[in-house]
Amino acid sequence: MSENLDVLEALKQWEIDGKNAVLATVVSAWGSAPRRPGSQMAIREDGHIVGSVSGGCVEGDVIAQALEIMDRDGSDPAAVVRQADYGVSDASAWAVGLACGGKIRVHLHQPAPGFAAQTLRTMADTGIAEVALDVGEAEAVQVTYAAPLRLLILGGVHIAQALVALAPTVGLSPTIIDPRGGFASPERFPGIPLVTQWPDEAVAAFGIDARTAVVALTHDEKLDDPALIAAFASKAFYIGALGSRRTQSQRRERMLNAGIRDADYHRLYGPIGLDIGAANPPEIALAILAQIIAALRGKA
């Protein structure tokens, strides 16, 4: 899930290329509107678009309005900022395709020079930037720019096979690390990135950031521990490890002996996964994924 990131990167490149652009943002939505507030679409001067404000329903009209804005000379600020409402009670909305029963309000403006580059710099530390968009109403609209979510799985085991199938459904892009060739194989994980370096080297090369979840599933301290030590030194938003409470207690002792601070070790979710009574690999994978989402949303 790279929330609005593609829009931001496009705006930055277009500015470098000397191209004009308009940024369209959903500022409010009602009913079954297909995009939530904060969703964005960038429109280049030649009509090329990146992102979406309606899933295709009204975007033809939004593009036309954006091109009209870019045709102005910019001398009148009011001429280059506007809002458009679309809904089932609006005949023009039916004409452009919003027959789904929803209503949306879209704000269009030309972003200030350097906006995209500055926002990307803000994201460098955490992978996320929150920008308040002043749309001339009572409250500003909060727009989120976020780097893609990644899931780093240590151990090409049965649980991992179930986890890589579920993870993309919630926007997590999985990668498997396992130096044991029989586990990390294309036959077991078709289409999934596989890394067969030793875990500490693989984790360092991967580059864990604040939009990364790390899951250790090998049940082998020779493999799990180096990766966990590297993860504790990172900004991963989730670190989890398979194992019973007894196993977790032994792991904690090893980690502290390896120099991991107790405060950092407490970032570890173990035993891994929400307690839903999971009894087989797909259920355990579901429990792990639910806990990852809870951590991401501040509900863990």
Side-chain angles (χ1 to χ4, degrees):
M1 180 187 307
S2 52
E3 199 164 4
N4 289 328
L5 181 62
D6 51 350
V7 169
L8 206 58
E9 291 175 336
L11 288 173
K12 178 184 176 182
Q13 186 59 51
W14 296 347
E15 185 173 349
I16 292 171
D17 295 340
K19 304 294 185 182
N20 289 327
V22 163
L23 185 57
T25 306
V26 177
V27 298
S28 55
W30 303 269
S32 59
R35 288 286 184 268
R36 63 184 180 181
S39 298
Q40 292 189 317
M41 179 172 72
I43 305 98
R44 196 170 61 193
E45 60 186 27
D46 60 358
H48 179 73
I49 64 170
V50 173
S52 174
V53 292
S54 74
C57 294
V58 303
E59 287 171 350
D61 189 69
V62 172
I63 293 168
Q65 295 211 44
L67 295 177
E68 182 179 334
I69 287 173
M70 285 182 278
D71 281 342
R72 305 299 179 96
D73 60 11
S75 58
D76 178 10
V80 295
V81 177
R82 65 176 66 178
Q83 289 186 177
D85 292 311
Y86 302 96
V88 294
S89 60
D90 183 342
S92 65
W94 283 95
V96 294
L98 190 63
C100 55
K103 297 181 182 181
I104 62 172
R105 176 170 295 164
V106 179
H107 176 86
L108 298 97
H109 77 289
Q110 290 188 279
F115 163 74
Q118 177 57 50
T119 305
L120 286 166
R121 284 194 293 271
T122 301
M123 293 177 62
D125 189 45
T126 64
I128 298 177
E130 299 279 356
V131 177
L133 176 64
D134 183 2
V135 295
E137 298 184 351
E139 295 184 3
V141 175
Q142 200 75 8
V143 180
T144 299
Y145 299 96
L149 288 167
R150 301 184 297 168
L151 175 59
L152 188 58
I153 303 170
L154 180 64
V157 297
H158 284 88
I159 296 171
Q161 288 179 297
L163 197 52
V164 299
L166 289 174
T169 66
V170 293
L172 283 159
S173 177
T175 295
I176 298 289
I177 292 178
D178 200 322
R180 305 168 297 181
F183 286 85
S185 67
E187 291 78 15
R188 288 171 59 78
F189 296 96
I192 303 298
L194 304 174
V195 182
T196 56
Q197 294 171 282
W198 198 253
D200 54 347
E201 297 175 357
V203 170
F206 182 82
I208 298 173
D209 59 20
R211 297 281 286 174
T212 304
V214 180
V215 173
L217 302 177
T218 71
H219 245 320
D220 183 339
E221 63 186 74
K222 297 189 302 296
L223 299 178
D224 282 350
D225 286 7
L228 290 173
I229 290 170
F232 286 132
S234 76
K235 296 178 180 178
F237 74 88
Y238 176 91
I239 304 171
L242 195 66
S244 66
R245 294 192 183 280
R246 180 172 179 274
T247 298
Q248 300 297 342
S249 178
Q250 294 170 341
R251 176 181 288 121
R252 178 179 180 275
E253 185 176 349
R254 293 196 306 272
M255 292 291 103
L256 296 182
N257 288 337
I260 300 300
R261 298 183 308 160
D262 197 47
D264 286 332
Y265 184 80
H266 278 296
R267 295 170 59 198
L268 181 72
Y269 290 86
I272 198 170
L274 295 183
D275 184 3
I276 60 172
N280 54 52
E283 292 177 0
I284 295 170
L286 179 62
I288 293 170
L289 194 58
Q291 191 174 59
I292 290 172
I293 296 303
L296 177 67
R297 304 303 180 193
K299 298 294 184 180

